[in-house]
Amino acid sequence: MCGIVGYLGPRETVGVLMDGLRRLEYRGYDSAGIAVFHGGKIEVRRARGKLRVLEEAIAGESLEGKVGIGHTRWATHGRPSDDNAHPHKAGSIAVVHNGIIENYLSLKKVLTESGHVFASETDTEVIAHLVDHFLREDFPFEEAVRRALGKIKGSYALAVLCEKEPEKLIGARNESPLVVGLGEGELLIASDTPAVLNYTRDFIFLEDGEMAVLSDGKAEVLDLEGKRIPREPKRVKWNPLMAEKGGYKHFMLKEIMEQPRAITDTIRGRISEDRSEIIFEGLDSDGKMVKAINRIALVACGTSYHAALVGRYLIESLCRIPVEADIGSEFRYRNPLVDEKTLLVTISQSGETADTLAALREARKRGARTLGICNVVESSLSRESDYTIFTYAGPEIGVASTKAFSTQLVILYLLSLFLGKRTGYISHTQMDEFIGELVRLPHLLEEVVRGHKEIERIGRKYVHAENFLYLGRGINYPIALEGALKLKEISYIHAEGYPAGEMKHGPIALIDREMPVVVLATKDDTYEKVMNNIEEVHAREGRIIALASQGDKEIASKVEDVIFIPPTVSLLTPVLLTIPLQLLAYYMADFKGNDVDQPRNLAKSVTVE
Ligand code: M6R
């Protein structure tokens, strides 16, 4: 995720900006930049790579000024490069931006036609040009920003500077956080409080659709109509480490809780306005690729492999194309049946997993077309694939994958709809229905996240269990595997995921009072069968924790604990089921006092085979 810092005050501005950017460093980024009002104009310095590269670039320069903005970038639109790094400048405007501008292509087209020349591949640059456009129409800076925001669709946290009004710094927010820090005779802006916690503890937290105008030693908040909104600052009590984690005890918990946002970002800009199309710009643009393939191979490792298993189910259901799902390390050594009629889809959070990359290289050698699903722009996977779809989860710091997994599921759902439309298997009405449910998903996830206290209670109850069984059927079976993996890797409790129908072929022998069994029992085609499995476990005194659909009264009498999730189409249920299982694993690991973010023996990215 990108980071923003802005400063207006008497200190040495570059120092404050660089200090703020350094404090955001733990989240990872691919480029950084600053803009400072110096010698009557805005000077911009940007560099791809670590902050050190930028530091070296500006070392020895005396960029003095009283106002400036800085940014660390986590690329979404446009690869990491000096040109794509923020701040972006247009005329007398400089902008830093977090978020995604959905309508940037149409805005860019109109601006280009009216003579604006673009220097980057980013969506952000349209904001700078739009504000500049209104300035040229003689609107004052504040009004120009307000008018520009009226044209933009999407999410943003912004900080804007203008050469014509050098004593002013403007910020704005929509679906991406931005705070205003009120220091002693100085004002700050930041996407995250830790960036500026050294200078103040008094903050105004902007709401969606609000702007902040910082000048003359004060910060005013206004809405997009220009109406002033009185806003009292709040005093933040977090220490810097707590602040990095957004007030959560661990990054993993923060990352679980931010899934509604991560999924909103992942969906954003990928659905046409009339809801009839999925947009993956440039993918199969000539229509030849989908026509040419006769099978799809999904390859990944660990949690990403569980996403691949869900993907197999989704693609086969929505497109009727034969799909195989394979573990990276297995695929490569089994002389796979792959040729130029195969679409190889690799899935990886990091894009650096050695086994997944080896599978990709093997498939390329055999002539397959390759598509990557990845969270890191410019990773090896994205560079080596014919096409990459990015999950906009933002940096995932906890070793246990959480938001990367749920966003992978969402991409696989979108990809299935994309392919289903092209193969003609999905009707217009179905498309509308599936997209409608997808759009509701972030709200449903918020509901699930709000139920975390009950999951914490259940976690406390079972923390001393030594073994766990997770059961699911159909599209929810991979979620049973994922629930078990999450529990294993952070709580060190032995857990197995199983297809519920396989229970009587062996694992049922394990069931007794000591064996908690997590059963995924949402209302879908497999519900009756899953209820039979619940009876089987119940008869052998197994302790059942069920994940069930809201309103299911029957199940409560048969199981010891129930976690309810809101109903949706069965193809999206895996996303909703995932969050309670992540939380269950998290709370149990935390009760055991484990190092949740860095579990023993595990690395975030497995770059060796
Ligand atoms: O970066 P990748 O998605 O390729 O990583 C794959 C696995 O190493 C990863 O999912 C691992 O299983 C996680 N620790 C799961 O939480």
Side-chain angles (χ1 to χ4, degrees):
M1 198 124 47
C2 308
I4 289 177
V5 192
Y7 182 74
L8 178 63
R11 293 185 206 243
E12 195 239 319
T13 298
V14 173
V16 178
L17 298 179
M18 294 303 283
D19 178 48
L21 297 182
R22 221 170 284 121
R23 286 171 198 282
L24 298 176
E25 210 169 7
Y26 66 93
R27 308 179 327 164
Y29 56 89
D30 50 60
S31 43
I34 54 168
V36 180
F37 192 80
H38 168 80
K41 61 186 180 81
I42 297 172
E43 294 286 345
V44 175
R45 301 289 181 270
R46 308 178 291 185
R48 181 194 161 151
K50 294 273 166 211
L51 206 52
R52 182 174 33 82
V53 185
L54 180 66
E55 267 161 3
E56 281 163 16
I58 58 174
E61 268 198 271
S62 71
L63 275 180
E64 282 158 18
K66 303 235 162 300
V67 58
I69 52 181
H71 191 258
T72 50
R73 178 167 187 251
W74 171 266
T76 56
H77 293 70
R79 75 211 140 80
S81 69
D82 289 358
D83 288 342
N84 288 337
H86 302 207
H88 288 284
K89 214 170 162 242
S92 52
I93 291 296
V95 173
V96 291
H97 164 226
N98 291 355
I100 297 168
I101 305 302
E102 286 169 31
N103 57 339
Y104 83 102
L105 282 175
S106 54
L107 290 172
K108 190 169 179 174
K109 186 163 176 280
V110 175
L111 287 160
T112 307
E113 281 163 6
S114 64
H116 288 259
V117 179
F118 283 77
S120 77
E121 303 156 327
T122 64
D123 52 341
T124 302
E125 198 184 343
V126 295
I127 307 169
H129 283 279
L130 260 184
V131 180
D132 179 52
H133 163 82
F134 287 112
L135 273 184
R136 288 193 210 181
E137 291 195 345
D138 280 339
F139 290 105
F141 179 28
E142 183 184 313
E143 179 68 9
V145 174
R146 214 165 61 71
R147 283 178 181 256
L149 295 180
K151 300 272 176 203
I152 289 170
K153 282 193 195 146
S155 64
Y156 53 79
L158 300 175
V160 194
L161 290 184
C162 175
E163 276 169 359
K164 293 187 176 160
E165 299 189 41
E167 305 278 300
K168 200 174 262 182
L169 172 57
I170 296 184
R173 156 185 179 145
N174 193 47
E175 296 178 28
S176 188
L178 196 72
V179 299
V180 176
L182 310 175
E184 286 285 316
E186 58 189 353
L187 296 162
L188 301 113
I189 267 186
S191 52
D192 308 79
T193 44
V196 294
L197 218 45
N198 252 17
Y199 306 96
T200 183
R201 293 202 164 233
D202 295 324
F203 289 96
I204 293 173
F205 291 84
L206 290 189
E207 305 279 349
D208 286 346
E210 287 181 350
M211 280 169 65
V213 179
L214 281 57
S215 66
D216 296 331
K218 62 179 195 306
E220 285 188 310
V221 179
L222 47 146
D223 64 19
L224 295 190
E225 304 297 310
K227 201 170 112 244
R228 258 55 188 170
I229 303 167
R231 182 67 51 79
E232 284 304 310
K234 293 201 170 102
R235 175 147 291 189
V236 166
K237 298 201 178 82
W238 298 337
N239 64 39
L241 190 66
M242 276 169 78
E244 279 178 6
K245 294 175 185 161
Y248 292 106
K249 190 170 176 190
H250 295 101
F251 282 113
M252 181 181 175
L253 186 57
K254 174 174 179 275
E255 286 160 5
I256 293 173
M257 296 304 196
E258 68 193 18
Q259 286 176 101
R261 192 274 313 147
I263 283 171
T264 305
D265 285 351
T266 300
I267 299 170
R268 198 185 295 287
R270 284 168 164 163
I271 299 171
S272 66
E273 274 186 31
D274 63 356
R275 293 191 175 181
S276 66
E277 298 277 349
I278 301 302
I279 307 166
F280 289 130
E281 222 178 291
L283 178 62
D284 195 31
S285 42
D286 56 5
K288 286 186 183 156
M289 189 269 284
V290 174
K291 282 207 183 90
I293 58 167
N294 61 12
R295 58 194 285 276
I296 295 179
L298 299 169
V299 178
C301 298
T303 286
S304 298
Y305 169 66
H306 298 150
L309 291 173
V310 175
R312 176 174 68 185
Y313 198 100
L314 288 170
I315 299 172
E316 288 195 339
S317 311
L318 295 176
C319 322
R320 306 310 289 162
I321 300 175
V323 185
E324 277 178 56
D326 237 316
I327 292 173
S329 54
E330 292 294 317
F331 175 85
R332 188 175 166 211
Y333 296 107
R334 70 174 172 83
N335 194 10
L337 287 171
V338 168
D339 59 22
E340 58 291 343
K341 290 198 174 146
T342 308
L343 174 66
L344 179 95
V345 181
T346 49
I347 308 169
S348 173
Q349 186 286 130
S350 61
E352 303 296 346
T353 299
D355 287 321
T356 307
L357 288 174
L360 166 63
R361 289 167 192 152
E362 183 62 36
R364 282 184 78 92
K365 259 197 253 161
R366 293 169 187 243
R369 293 146 207 266
T370 57
L371 168 66
I373 297 176
C374 187
N375 196 36
V376 182
V377 176
E378 280 292 283
S379 56
S380 305
L381 186 112
S382 72
R383 278 185 277 110
E384 294 180 35
S385 302
D386 296 332
Y387 189 91
T388 310
I389 303 174
F390 292 103
T391 49
Y392 295 138
E396 195 178 61
I397 294 169
V399 164
S401 191
T402 52
K403 59 180 181 170
F405 178 65
S406 55
T407 53
Q408 287 167 352
L409 297 183
V410 165
I411 290 292
L412 286 160
Y413 183 83
L414 285 167
L415 180 64
S416 308
L417 295 178
F418 178 90
L419 295 172
K421 179 89 194 278
R422 286 181 180 231
T423 54
Y425 194 73
I426 302 178
S427 69
H428 188 75
T429 324
Q430 284 171 315
M431 190 73 158
D432 196 61
E433 190 197 333
F434 286 135
I435 290 180
E437 282 301 304
L438 182 62
V439 171
R440 281 177 67 223
L441 187 64
H443 304 289
L444 303 183
L445 289 168
E446 265 159 23
E447 223 180 285
V448 175
V449 158
R450 276 198 295 273
H452 67 97
K453 282 274 165 217
E454 175 61 4
I455 302 169
E456 185 176 2
R457 181 193 69 75
I458 296 173
R460 191 186 296 275
K461 180 169 163 188
Y462 293 94
V463 72
H464 299 299
E466 287 179 4
N467 298 287
F468 259 81
L469 207 53
Y470 285 69
L471 302 177
R473 275 178 184 257
I475 196 166
N476 295 333
Y477 158 54
I479 305 305
L481 294 176
E482 175 59 10
L485 176 64
K486 260 338 48 120
L487 190 69
K488 274 186 270 215
E489 62 180 343
I490 58 170
S491 75
Y492 317 141
I493 296 172
H494 169 246
E496 279 193 59
Y498 244 90
E502 273 288 291
M503 231 215 353
K504 53 179 128 1
H505 298 283
I508 200 162
L510 296 169
I511 307 286
D512 62 12
R513 276 301 293 160
E514 305 305 312
M515 175 67 90
V517 184
V518 178
V519 186
L520 309 182
T522 44
K523 290 247 165 142
D524 59 21
D525 295 352
T526 66
Y527 179 73
E528 295 301 326
K529 299 273 179 217
V530 174
M531 287 305 278
N532 290 342
N533 298 129
I534 286 181
E535 295 288 0
E536 287 160 7
V537 176
H538 191 57
R540 285 153 187 88
E541 298 196 346
R543 306 175 72 187
I544 304 168
I545 305 161
L547 270 67
S549 303
Q550 258 163 21
D552 183 349
K553 296 205 177 86
E554 194 192 338
I555 205 159
S557 61
K558 305 251 165 18
V559 303
E560 195 165 326
D561 292 286
V562 197
I563 299 164
F564 287 109
I565 62 156
T568 180
V569 286
S570 59
L571 298 180
L572 280 175
T573 308
V575 189
L576 290 171
L577 288 171
T578 294
I579 293 188
L581 298 186
Q582 293 169 346
L583 284 168
L584 190 63
Y586 169 78
Y587 286 121
M588 290 175 73
D590 189 38
F591 289 137
K592 292 183 84 180
N594 294 354
D595 185 348
V596 174
D597 284 331
Q598 286 182 325
R600 68 185 183 203
N601 308 339
L602 291 177
K604 182 69 189 159
S605 178
V606 184
T607 54
V608 288
E609 284 185 42

